[in-house]
Amino acid sequence: MELDAAWADRWMRLSAQAMTENRQRLTTLDREIGDADHGENMERGFTAIVEKMDTDGTPDTPGEVFKTAAMTLMSKVGGAAGPLYGTAFLRASTAAGSSAALGPQELVAVLTAARDGIVARGKAETGDKTMIDAWTPAVDAAATAQAADATPVGILIAAANAAEAGLAGTEPLVARKGRASYLGERSAGHLDPGAASTALILQAAVQAAEAAA
C-alpha cells in the first residue's frame, strides 16, 4: 500500500462525502457558538475540490493534490475555514514535495506541516477551543506511532483517533479565539465545529488508506 496521488485523490473525495453527510451536524455546532456556516462552507469547498479534479484530472503526486485542494479551498470557502484549511493543505503540499508516494516519515511531516500552517494562520494554541485542539493531538499521536514503526495506515488511525479525542476535549473549554470567544463562559458545553471537521477529514484519510491497502 502506498500513499500516492490515488490515495490523496480518494482522501479528498471521501472528505467531500463526509462534509455532505455531516453538513447539518457541523452547521448545528457552529450555530451554537459561531455563525452557523461551517457545514455549508466545508461542503462547498470539498465539493469544489472534487469538481476540479474531475475536470482537470488527478494530479501526479500527493503534493500536487494537496496544492489543488489548498487553492480551491482558499478561493471557494469564506470565513475562517477557507484560509485555515487552505494554508494547511498548502503547507502539506510543500512538505510532500515531488514525492510520488509518502512513507511514514513523510506522512508525519505532512501532518505536522498542515497543523503548523493552521497555527501560523490562526495564531491559536491548544486549549483555545479551535481545530488546533484536534490537530495537535493528532500530530503527536502520528509521531508516536511512526516512532514505534507503525505502517502509514497505523499512523493515520492513531492521528484520527487522537483528533476525535481532541474534539471531545473541546466541549468543556471556554473559547479564546474566533467568534465563539465573544460568548465567554457561555461557549463552554459545546463542541468546536472546526475540531469536528478536522476529525472528519483525518478519518477520511484513514478510509482512503485502508481502501488502498
Side-chain angles (χ1 to χ4, degrees):
M1 187 275 296
E2 288 188 331
L3 299 183
D4 55 12
W7 162 75
D9 177 287
R10 192 176 300 109
W11 180 12
M12 295 303 110
R13 294 178 187 277
L14 288 171
S15 293
Q17 180 179 328
M19 295 309 150
T20 297
E21 293 173 351
N22 288 274
R23 172 180 172 173
Q24 188 56 52
R25 173 180 170 237
L26 293 174
T27 295
T28 298
L29 291 176
D30 199 26
R31 181 179 296 115
E32 293 170 344
I33 59 173
D35 46 15
D37 63 358
H38 193 59
E40 179 181 346
N41 282 339
M42 295 303 291
E43 181 186 38
R44 181 171 64 252
F46 277 90
T47 297
I49 293 169
V50 172
E51 291 172 349
K52 178 73 172 173
M53 292 194 297
D54 283 345
T55 301
D56 298 347
T58 301
D60 294 331
T61 67
E64 291 175 356
V65 173
F66 299 152
K67 186 174 182 179
T68 296
M71 296 298 104
T72 305
L73 290 172
M74 287 181 177
S75 65
K76 297 292 185 181
V77 179
L84 289 171
Y85 277 121
T87 301
F89 280 110
L90 193 59
R91 294 288 187 92
S93 172
T94 300
S98 59
S99 296
L102 307 178
Q105 287 187 326
E106 293 167 307
L107 175 58
V108 172
V110 161
L111 295 173
T112 302
R115 186 275 312 276
D116 291 350
I118 295 170
V119 170
R121 170 69 73 168
K123 312 298 183 189
E125 300 176 352
T126 302
D128 283 344
K129 197 180 182 85
T130 72
M131 62 178 68
I132 290 302
D133 290 302
W135 272 103
T136 290
V139 168
D140 291 346
T144 299
Q146 189 268 321
D149 294 328
T151 65
V153 172
I155 291 170
L156 288 171
I157 289 173
N161 288 343
E164 192 67 36
L167 164 63
T170 64
E171 185 166 4
L173 296 176
V174 175
R176 297 192 298 240
K177 287 286 184 181
R179 186 177 294 272
S181 65
Y182 303 159
L183 299 177
E185 295 291 335
R186 287 185 290 128
S187 65
H190 304 280
L191 295 173
D192 178 69
S197 59
T198 292
L200 291 171
I201 289 169
L202 292 176
Q203 184 58 47
V206 173
Q207 294 170 348
E210 288 177 336

